[in-house]
Amino acid sequence: MKTSFKPILITKLSAKIICLTILFLICYSCEKQNKATIDFVFNADEIIYYPDKHISMIFDIKPKYDIGDYTINWYSPDTLLGEGPFKITITNNLVLDFEISDDNNNVKRFQYEVKTDAIDSVKYDYRNYYIGTYFCNVTYSYNGSIEYYQDTLTVVKNNTFNMLNILTTNDIKNSYEGNKMIYLNSNGSNNSTTGVFFGYHSGVSFEEDSIHYSASGPLGFYYTNTYEGIKIK
């Protein structure tokens, strides 16, 4: 009878040791994996490419995996705090230098370079926010008289990056190239939906989906057309 229980006891003990070993290895593997999976994702929510290679960007930094509570400490630019979103304007490559720490005191430092040459100026052209067709109420004033009418303005890109063209219905009808307008805020200081341009005896400003455009005649013919409109397409 004694000999019949001994193998059973040994078997149960061995099984228990094996289970504890497997559990330890699983826990060790998980802990090792958690330490190894601190990584990040760079998200650029908005990129706008302005003249003079001024690039405005709104971005944030977040952990790539779920690591629970975490903090981000910035080394460069040292003015940044947390995960963002941040808005920056760059003209040259920028190296982001930061570290991420989780609630298990695991810390990993990263450097991420934002390269200006990798940013597509066509895709992120600042003029993309302004081009289109606008339905306008027009005020025509000349020699003390005022007239009111309605017209459409079509805004298109000029081949020169810091310019756009504004065409009236008459311009399109007669195959004119329209009025060439030069971007005023060449440092990229505007937000994405606001822009100011000027041309020969003319100026235009954009705000959200609206346009304010004024064009005056040459010397000796002092008329002024003022357009107030909303983008329709």
Side-chain angles (χ1 to χ4, degrees):
M1 295 296 291
K2 291 182 179 180
T3 56
S4 62
F5 287 108
K6 190 172 183 181
I8 297 174
L9 292 174
I10 293 175
T11 302
K12 289 183 176 180
L13 180 61
S14 300
K16 187 174 182 180
I17 292 173
I18 292 172
C19 289
L20 290 173
T21 302
I22 293 174
L23 182 62
F24 172 78
L25 291 174
I26 291 174
C27 292
Y28 175 78
S29 176
C30 290
E31 182 179 358
K32 185 177 181 181
Q33 184 179 12
N34 286 337
K35 290 182 178 180
T37 54
I38 295 183
D39 204 346
F40 76 95
V41 176
F42 173 87
N43 294 311
D45 298 320
E46 181 183 83
I47 301 174
I48 308 173
Y49 205 114
Y50 292 97
D52 301 327
K53 206 175 181 178
H54 282 79
I55 301 170
S56 174
M57 181 180 300
I58 297 177
F59 74 94
D60 58 33
I61 297 289
K62 291 184 179 179
K64 189 173 184 179
Y65 309 105
D66 183 8
I67 59 173
D69 294 333
Y70 65 92
T71 57
I72 299 179
N73 181 41
W74 285 90
Y75 294 97
S76 180
D78 57 7
T79 55
L80 304 184
L81 295 172
E83 65 182 40
F86 308 107
K87 183 174 183 178
I88 59 172
T89 299
I90 59 175
T91 56
N92 299 299
N93 294 349
L94 174 67
V95 176
L96 304 175
D97 187 358
F98 59 94
E99 66 179 18
I100 300 177
S101 57
D102 63 17
D103 53 3
N104 292 318
N105 295 321
N106 300 313
V107 181
K108 192 170 182 180
R109 187 165 176 172
F110 301 94
Q111 287 188 336
Y112 180 81
E113 186 173 16
V114 181
K115 298 182 178 180
T116 56
D117 290 341
I119 299 175
D120 189 343
S121 62
V122 175
K123 180 178 180 180
Y124 300 110
D125 190 335
Y126 71 108
R127 296 172 297 179
N128 292 338
Y129 292 94
Y130 314 133
I131 59 175
T133 303
Y134 297 78
F135 180 78
C136 302
N137 292 315
V138 188
T139 302
Y140 170 81
S141 59
Y142 173 68
N143 198 26
S145 63
I146 297 178
E147 296 179 14
Y148 303 95
Y149 64 98
Q150 294 178 323
D151 196 4
T152 58
L153 292 177
T154 302
V155 181
V156 299
K157 296 180 182 180
N158 188 282
N159 290 333
T160 303
F161 191 66
N162 70 333
M163 299 175 67
L164 52 74
N165 290 10
I166 297 182
L167 297 88
T168 64
T169 300
N170 188 61
D171 291 332
I172 296 175
K173 181 180 179 181
N174 293 282
S175 300
Y176 298 152
E177 62 180 356
N179 192 10
K180 298 178 181 179
M181 309 294 293
I182 301 173
Y183 186 58
L184 183 60
N185 302 92
S186 60
N187 62 355
S189 61
N190 285 331
N191 63 46
S192 59
T193 58
T194 303
V196 179
F197 297 75
F198 68 94
Y200 178 72
H201 290 185
S202 58
V204 63
S205 62
F206 299 89
E207 180 69 35
E208 299 296 337
D209 288 333
S210 65
I211 187 172
H212 174 84
Y213 173 60
S214 178
S216 299
L219 296 177
F221 188 30
Y222 297 106
Y223 72 86
T224 298
N225 279 320
T226 302
Y227 295 75
E228 300 286 348
I230 297 293
K231 182 183 285 190
I232 55 177
K233 64 179 180 179

